[in-house]
Amino acid sequence: MSTPPVRVETGSDPELAVVTVNHPPLNLYDRDLHTSLNEAVTALEQQRPRGALFRAEGKVVSGGVDVRETFLPLAQTHDVEGGRRYFAELVELGERVHLLPFPTVFAAHGLTLTWAFELALACDLIVAGESASFGLIEATVGLTPAMGGTQRLAERVGQGRAKWFVMTAGRFGAAEMERWGAVDRMVPDDEVETVSRELARSLAAGPTQAHAATKEILRELAVGGLGQANARTAEIAGALFGTEDLRGAMDSFVEQGHGKATFTGR
């Protein structure tokens, strides 16, 4: 039995799920990876850890998509409906990652092209090594990104820079991406694994339902603007007063001071 291209592990810390892409030599997106990534996200939805780290094995995070397998047959037969169905699956997959009710961190240790960067943008935070680079290069084959990457990049850096990034189909280094706000933290290459794991582990140990509320309020902002986010904030944040974590953290604050509370995710 072959090893799946994507695996989900918890290891010694059951609260943190680690999602690893290992599809050598270049972690190209093909049907096997598509199926395996869907299964991995389903596992996260069912297991409901308190945090997740997305990472990849190999010299690169991904060299992009296996065009010969995925897009070429559709292009050769002018299969518009087939293309729509496939892209609908990709959009749904990115949205499912975006909607996970716990913090998600993406570790980019090297070249991160197309679907891999779109997956990173669907996560909450991106940690990148100094030599990492990023690209949405679909325009080179007459396509546009279809996992939600264009719009999520625009949310981070603005429409002008998103258009530049996508339309030029260039590759952009981690330092520039951090300056733009597309990458949240750049670290030395040999620290990517440690920093990203520690960040994900720290978030997973935090107030899980409060983190979920933060994500929900920001989604309201993205969908309906400041007015809609403000209208929903009291309901979303107010519900936290019914959680065990808030009650325990308040007791801890009164008894021990700030920063001493521990959380269970309930």
Side-chain angles (χ1 to χ4, degrees), residues 36-46 54 93 96-97 100:
S36 189
L37 185 57
N38 264 291
E39 291 172 350
V41 175
T42 298
L44 294 177
E45 292 168 335
Q46 293 175 346
F54 288 79
L93 180 57
R96 288 168 63 200
V97 173
L100 289 171

Side-chain angles (χ1 to χ4, degrees), residues 97-135:
V97 173
H98 179 66
L99 292 175
L100 289 171
F102 46 78
T104 53
V105 176
F106 191 95
H109 67 273
L111 181 66
T112 306
L113 295 183
T114 65
W115 74 273
F117 187 38
E118 293 192 86
L119 178 62
L121 290 166
C123 293
D124 298 317
L125 298 172
I126 303 172
V127 176
E130 291 174 329
S131 65
S133 60
F134 303 82

Side-chain angles (χ1 to χ4, degrees), residues 130-181:
E130 291 174 329
S131 65
S133 60
F134 303 82
L136 296 175
I137 60 172
E138 286 84 350
T140 62
V141 294
L143 284 171
T144 191
M147 195 186 279
T150 301
Q151 48 270 46
R152 290 195 176 95
L153 181 62
E155 281 190 339
R156 283 175 170 256
V157 306
Q159 288 198 25
R161 279 180 169 163
K163 289 175 183 177
W164 183 279
F165 192 93
V166 174
M167 290 180 176
T168 65
R171 299 183 187 182
F172 299 82
E176 185 172 20
M177 298 298 278
E178 186 184 40
R179 287 197 303 272
W180 284 11

Side-chain angles (χ1 to χ4, degrees), residues 12 31 43 48 76 98 120 122 134-135 137 161 186 199 201 204 216 221-222 249 256 258:
S12 60
R31 273 293 173 184
R48 298 289 288 268
Q76 289 176 330
H98 179 66
F134 303 82
I137 60 172
R161 279 180 169 163
M186 183 181 69
L199 174 60
R201 186 176 292 114
E216 187 175 358
L221 175 67
Q256 304 179 63
H258 178 73

Side-chain angles (χ1 to χ4, degrees), residues 7 18-21 53-57 61 105-107 193 197:
R7 64 180 187 271
V18 179
V19 181
T20 299
V21 177
L53 170 65
F54 288 79
R55 59 181 297 279
E57 296 283 358
V61 177
V105 176
F106 191 95
E193 186 75 14
R197 280 182 182 269

